[in-house]
């Protein structure tokens, strides 16, 4: 039952129009697909991804570094958020407990405009930057390293994280999950799928979840409600339609991770262990509420064995309402000045994507052509933000009685709305010149427009507008000297429009661009059970927006010379009999290339450690009296990192964090016990743009979970 569920889950994420090669009945075609894909997405070994090319392609044939963490890894780690899963993703680092991540030395939030996150390969992130993305409805997580603008338009130079959602299945199933853990953590989830009609052309999936927790930090609490119903209509052997709805609501005290205090010594160095980890700059009355909704409609059609196309419409709406405190300045005699911020914010994203595949052969050369268009309209319909001076807090003896200030003329306000439009088109050709030689060529054009409109005289910026366009090429070559071995080289680019382009601040400015050169090796060993991936890369990043440094015009900005990120990555992943393993090492040097207002030539980039290593291994007993028992252990090492760009001596210390797990499977029951941070190491994920605080990681904690497969 579990083996067939894995097959069906993989089949569901690949476009029906692409996979179908037979003209027989719908049932026969579905059975054939199960046979073809069997074992390809099972366990820790993951062989196929459509992320890099919008077509199901083996990782060996893809000229770019890709890692896939499947359902088994997610379950073994008891990863309930994307942040929980990053310790097994090579070179990926969660910079705090919210939605900030780092890849190949570049940092960003899981934002809707050019951030790290896509869903099923489509723009329109479901979560906001103050949220850790939930994994209730996620089948697997794919990581594409390096620029990905050739297919996805604007985006981070460091790479892309794609969340592949669970799809309706023909086989009837119902499973229930429950988990308990440290700090009064509780989680419940239900997942049901099956058919809605006798002919099995209408399929459904219904996923729901609830979790809540306190924290080792003072006065913190968070809860989430999540719902994800979806329906698939198998209209014919050539056509399918899928509708997926998502809803989440979160309620939290202190929704932002404002970090733990860091003491500055008299000699100018920093003591990261002086202040207890439970202390926070925030107040018990602070709060944050998020409501996220999305709808995705996907239409796939196969015209014939050569031509197929897909159309996707994705709508996302997210609302944030919060009141929060943050620090201002440095700590003096264990006291800190604070600001008080309120925010009522509504953002939206409407993404339309259409693309077509066409296969042809010219002599002995095979072509797989892809052509597509994207139209994305996103922004915010409400942005009412206030930043006011609050009370000075004694860190060890906080007084919260007067920390909500009355409105004052000196308060800073945003009160505006903004609409961004991003229209683009691309063409791509996957060329098989010989059985061993494959070439990937693509070119994209994007046009971007921004219009920000003030909603009242309180708005500080009073409007912003800009236009820009970009050509984004990509080229790659793969040579396979043996059936299960490949070497590759690629050239990729990315672009990002500037988020602030107002003439009053010195704009308009050209978009940020990145160019990457990458070479790599991929191989499958031990009967294709274990994969090895290695990559070397060099990224040039230009057109960074920074403070112009003009005292009489403090809001003036300017373009400064860029940065260079280069490094190496190695990933080992797969299954060897009863042993499953995922391990990785990433070396990265991200440095400023010239002197500028953001730093000196050679300065380290913020939250970008030079070394990042991880391992997770599980042994599953199968032939003894211990059959059903699983033992797992692993850990992660992150070297020191600069926590503030302007203050290169604010060094976040290196850390080693160890985890372990026990599991037991009996009949339809699965029990899981995870112990995280075994040695109770005090470690920091990264800096928070200040030298008085840093993002503290979780101390020793446990999770006990049970999964029941009812049907």
């Amino acid at each position: 039952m579990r083996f067939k569920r894995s097959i069906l889950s993989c089949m569901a994420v690949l476009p029906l129009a692409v996979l179908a090669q037979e003209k027989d009945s719908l049932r026969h075609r579905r059975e054939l697909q199960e046979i073809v894909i069997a074992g390809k997405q099972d366990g820790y070994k993951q062989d196929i991804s459509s992320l890099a090319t919008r077509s199901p392609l083996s990782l060996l044939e893809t000229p770019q570094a890709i890692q896939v963490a499947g359902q088994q890894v997610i379950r073994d780690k008891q990863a309930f958020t994307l942040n929980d899963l990053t310790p097994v993703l090579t070179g990926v680092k969660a910079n705090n407990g919210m939605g900030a991540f780092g890849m190949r030395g570049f940092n960003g939030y899981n934002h809707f405009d050019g951030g790290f996150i896509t869903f099923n390969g489509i723009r329109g992130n479901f979560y906001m930057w103050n949220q850790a993305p939930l994994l209730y409805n996620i089948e697997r997580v794919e990581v594409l390293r390096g620029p990905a603008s050739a297919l996805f338009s604007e985006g981070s130079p460091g790479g892309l994280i794609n969340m592949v959602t669970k799809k309706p299945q023909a086989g009837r199933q119902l499973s229930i999950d429950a988990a308990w853990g440290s700090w009064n953590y509780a989680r419940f989830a239900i997942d049901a799928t099956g058919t809605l009609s006798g002919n099995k052309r209408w399929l459904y999936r219904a996923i729901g979840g609830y979790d809540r927790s306190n924290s080792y930090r003072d006065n913190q609490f968070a809860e989430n409600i999540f719902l994800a119903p979806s329906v698939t209509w198998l209209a014919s052997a050539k056509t399918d339609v899928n509708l997926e709805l998502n809803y989440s609501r979160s309620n939290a005290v202190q929704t932002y991770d404002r970090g733990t205090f860091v003491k500055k010594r008299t000699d100018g160095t920093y003591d990261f262990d002086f202040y207890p980890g439970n202390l926070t700059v925030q107040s018990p009355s602070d709060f944050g509420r998020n409501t996220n909704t999305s709808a995705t409609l996907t239409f796939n059609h196969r015209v014939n064995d050569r031509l197929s196309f897909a159309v996707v419409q994705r709508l996302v709406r997210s609302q944030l309402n919060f009141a929060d405190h943050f620090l201002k300045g440095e700590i003096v005699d264990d006291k800190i000045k604070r600001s008080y911020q309120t925010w009522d914010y509504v953002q939206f994203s409407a993404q339309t994507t259409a693309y077509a595949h066409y296969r042809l052969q010219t002599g002995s050369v095979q072509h797989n052509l892809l052509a597509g268009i994207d139209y994305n309209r996103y922004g915010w319909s409400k942005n009412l933000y206030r930043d006011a001076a609050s009370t000075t807090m004694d860190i060890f003896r906080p007084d919260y009685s007067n920390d909500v200030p009355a409105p004052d003329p000196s308060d800073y306000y945003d009160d505006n709305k903004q609409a961004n439009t991003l229209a683009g088109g691309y063409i791509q050709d996957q060329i098989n010149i010989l059985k061993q030689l494959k070439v990937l060529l693509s070119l994209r054009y994007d046009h971007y427009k921004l219009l920000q409109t003030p909603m009242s005289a309180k708005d500080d910026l009073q409007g912003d507008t800009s236009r820009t366009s970009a050509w984004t090429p990509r080229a790659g070559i793969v040579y396979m000297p043996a059936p299960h071995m490949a070497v590759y080289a690629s050239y990729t680019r990315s672009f990002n429009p500037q988020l602030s382009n107002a003439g009053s601040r010195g704009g308009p400015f050209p978009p940020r661009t990145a160019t990457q050169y990458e070479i790599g090796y991929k191989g499958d060993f031990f009967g294709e059970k274990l994969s090895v991936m290695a990559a070397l890369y060099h990224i040039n990043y230009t057109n960074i927006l920074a403070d112009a440094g003009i005292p009489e015009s403090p809001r003036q900005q300017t373009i400064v010379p860029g940065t260079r990120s280069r490094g190496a990555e190695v990933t080992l992943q797969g299954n060897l009999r009863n042993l499953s393993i995922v391990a990785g090492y990433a070396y990265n040097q991200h440095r400023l290339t010239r002197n500028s207002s953001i730093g000196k030539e050679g300065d380290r980039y913020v939250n970008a450690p030079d070394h990042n290593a991880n391992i997770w291994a599980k042994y599953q007993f199968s032939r003894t009296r211990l059959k059903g028992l699983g033992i797992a252990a692993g850990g992660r090492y992150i070297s020191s990192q600069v926590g503030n760009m302007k203050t290169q001596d604010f060094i976040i210390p290196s850390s080693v964090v160890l985890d372990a797990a026990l599991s037991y499977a009996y009949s339809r029951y699965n029990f899981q016990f995870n112990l995280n941070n075994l040695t109770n190491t005090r470690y920091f994920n990264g800096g928070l743009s200040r030298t008085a605080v840093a993002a503290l990681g979780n101390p020793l904690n446990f999770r006990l979970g049970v999964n029941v497969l009812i049907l």
Side-chain angles (χ1 to χ4, degrees), residues 44-45 529-530 572-582 615-622 631-633:
Y44 283 22
K45 180 73 158 56
K529 298 295 185 182
L530 189 70
L572 179 72
Q573 190 166 338
N575 316 290
L576 291 174
R577 295 187 178 179
N578 292 6
L579 180 67
S580 299
I581 186 171
V582 54
I615 186 170
W616 177 259
K618 178 184 178 182
Y619 185 83
Q620 187 73 42
F621 293 89
S622 61
I631 301 175

Side-chain angles (χ1 to χ4, degrees), residues 15-289:
L16 183 65
V18 176
L19 288 176
Q21 302 295 322
E22 302 298 317
K23 298 181 180 180
D24 296 333
S25 68
L26 182 64
R27 178 178 299 177
H28 176 72
R29 182 167 59 86
R30 185 160 53 238
E31 293 173 349
L32 178 65
Q33 288 175 344
E34 291 181 10
I35 296 172
V36 170
I37 304 174
K40 294 295 183 181
Q41 300 282 342
D42 189 39
Y44 283 22
K45 180 73 158 56
Q46 305 284 300
D47 291 332
I48 294 175
S49 173
S50 60
L51 181 61
T53 61
R54 289 204 190 281
S55 61
L57 190 66
S58 73
L59 301 187
L60 284 174
E61 297 176 288
T62 304
Q64 202 164 346
I66 297 180
Q67 183 184 6
V68 182
Q71 188 64 203
Q72 192 60 54
V73 178
I74 294 173
R75 285 197 170 275
D76 288 346
K77 287 290 294 178
Q78 276 204 92
F80 299 149
T81 69
L82 180 59
N83 303 57
D84 295 336
L85 193 63
T86 54
V88 299
L89 302 177
T90 303
V92 180
K93 183 174 75 75
N95 291 331
N96 54 40
M98 303 178 291
F101 301 94
M103 297 171 60
R104 290 194 169 177
F106 293 91
N107 304 293
Y109 283 92
N110 53 350
H111 205 8
F112 66 103
D113 57 346
F116 279 98
I117 310 294
T118 61
F119 279 76
N120 300 314
I122 303 297
R123 288 167 55 91
N125 185 20
F126 183 64
Y127 297 98
M128 299 182 72
W129 53 85
N130 67 314
Q131 297 179 283
L134 303 173
L135 300 182
Y136 281 108
N137 66 326
I138 301 305
E139 181 66 31
R140 68 178 190 269
V141 173
E142 303 174 324
V143 179
L144 176 64
R145 299 187 179 90
S149 288
L151 280 185
F152 299 99
S153 190
E154 58 171 335
S156 167
L160 189 70
I161 300 176
N162 184 45
M163 315 276 273
V164 180
T165 60
K166 299 175 180 179
K167 301 296 190 299
Q169 304 297 317
R172 188 183 178 194
Q173 290 183 11
L174 172 63
S175 66
I176 296 176
D177 287 90
W180 299 265
S182 300
W183 313 303
N184 297 316
Y185 181 85
R187 181 182 187 267
F188 303 93
I190 186 168
D191 183 357
T193 189
T195 61
L196 291 170
S197 61
N199 58 12
K200 296 186 178 182
R201 292 185 181 273
W202 286 92
L203 314 177
Y204 76 92
R205 192 151 197 165
I207 298 172
Y210 172 82
D211 63 79
R212 58 116 176 108
S213 178
N214 296 111
S215 172
Y216 66 95
R217 312 284 300 274
D218 290 345
N219 305 311
Q220 288 195 354
F221 171 80
E223 66 175 352
N224 294 285
I225 299 172
F226 182 85
L227 298 172
S230 59
V231 177
T232 295
W233 177 36
L234 302 174
S236 69
K238 296 183 177 181
T239 306
D240 71 274
V241 181
N242 182 266
L243 174 64
E244 180 178 319
L245 305 176
N246 288 175
Y247 170 86
S248 77
R249 181 172 178 81
S250 66
N251 179 37
V253 178
Q254 305 176 14
T255 184
Y256 272 90
D257 180 0
R258 297 301 195 183
T260 291
F261 298 108
V262 177
K263 185 176 182 62
K264 189 173 184 177
R265 301 185 181 100
T266 55
D267 62 357
T269 61
Y270 295 89
D271 186 346
F272 286 82
D273 297 322
F274 182 81
Y275 292 107
N278 63 296
L279 301 179
T280 173
V281 70
Q282 293 156 295
S283 298
S285 59
D286 292 346
F287 66 88
R289 304 184 186 98

Side-chain angles (χ1 to χ4, degrees), residues 282-455:
Q282 293 156 295
S283 298
S285 59
D286 292 346
F287 66 88
R289 304 184 186 98
N290 287 82
T291 303
N292 307 328
T293 56
S294 73
T296 306
L297 182 65
T298 305
F299 174 84
N300 294 305
H301 180 69
R302 178 173 61 90
V303 179
N304 51 45
D305 290 342
R306 290 188 174 184
L307 178 63
S308 62
F309 65 88
V311 180
V312 184
Q313 179 66 60
R314 180 168 172 80
L315 304 174
V316 183
R317 183 182 187 274
S318 300
Q319 182 173 0
L320 167 65
N321 182 256
F322 89 90
D324 211 47
H325 285 80
F326 197 34
L327 55 85
K328 296 182 68 175
E330 300 296 326
I331 299 172
V332 179
D333 296 329
D334 298 328
K335 296 180 176 61
I336 186 73
K337 292 182 179 180
R338 300 186 302 159
S339 66
Y340 177 71
Q341 303 169 358
T342 61
W343 203 359
D344 193 0
Y345 178 79
V346 179
Q347 75 177 29
F348 64 88
S349 174
Q351 170 79 18
T352 302
T353 294
Y355 57 91
H357 286 273
Y358 183 70
R359 294 196 304 274
L360 73 155
Q361 188 160 339
T362 56
S364 60
V365 179
Q366 296 179 346
H367 299 264
N368 189 348
L369 294 170
L370 171 70
I373 57 173
D374 296 314
Y375 180 79
N376 188 211
R377 180 176 173 81
Y378 62 90
W380 52 82
S381 58
K382 186 176 186 179
N383 178 30
L384 183 55
Y385 172 82
R386 175 196 173 205
D387 186 1
S390 184
T391 56
T392 296
M393 186 178 76
D394 186 321
I395 293 175
F396 290 108
R397 291 174 293 276
D399 179 6
Y400 304 117
S401 59
N402 297 301
D403 59 353
V404 178
D408 187 272
S410 64
D411 294 348
Y412 172 90
Y413 279 94
D414 283 332
D415 187 11
N416 52 54
K417 64 179 181 179
Q418 180 170 308
N420 309 272
T421 56
L422 191 60
Y426 56 90
I427 186 168
Q428 171 185 281
D429 191 6
Q430 297 170 248
I431 309 169
N432 294 339
I433 300 176
L434 300 170
K435 187 175 181 181
Q436 296 86 7
L437 185 62
K438 305 172 188 300
V439 175
L440 175 66
L441 300 172
S442 59
L443 181 65
R444 181 185 183 95
Y445 174 79
D446 279 291
H447 179 75
Y448 171 83
K449 182 173 68 175
L450 175 152
L451 177 62
Q452 186 179 113
T453 306
M455 301 300 290

Side-chain angles (χ1 to χ4, degrees), residues 436-506:
Q436 296 86 7
L437 185 62
K438 305 172 188 300
V439 175
L440 175 66
L441 300 172
S442 59
L443 181 65
R444 181 185 183 95
Y445 174 79
D446 279 291
H447 179 75
Y448 171 83
K449 182 173 68 175
L450 175 152
L451 177 62
Q452 186 179 113
T453 306
M455 301 300 290
S456 74
K458 292 191 303 183
D459 184 60
D460 182 73
L461 189 57
Q462 286 299 302
D464 197 353
T465 180
S466 70
R467 294 172 181 264
T468 191
S469 59
W471 288 94
T472 311
R474 175 174 66 166
I477 185 169
V478 178
Y479 177 65
M480 302 181 68
H484 306 299
M485 183 182 300
V487 291
Y488 71 90
S490 65
Y491 165 85
T492 54
R493 295 195 67 187
S494 71
F495 88 101
N496 282 95
Q498 303 291 357
L499 298 181
S500 176
N501 244 344
S504 62
R505 294 191 172 186

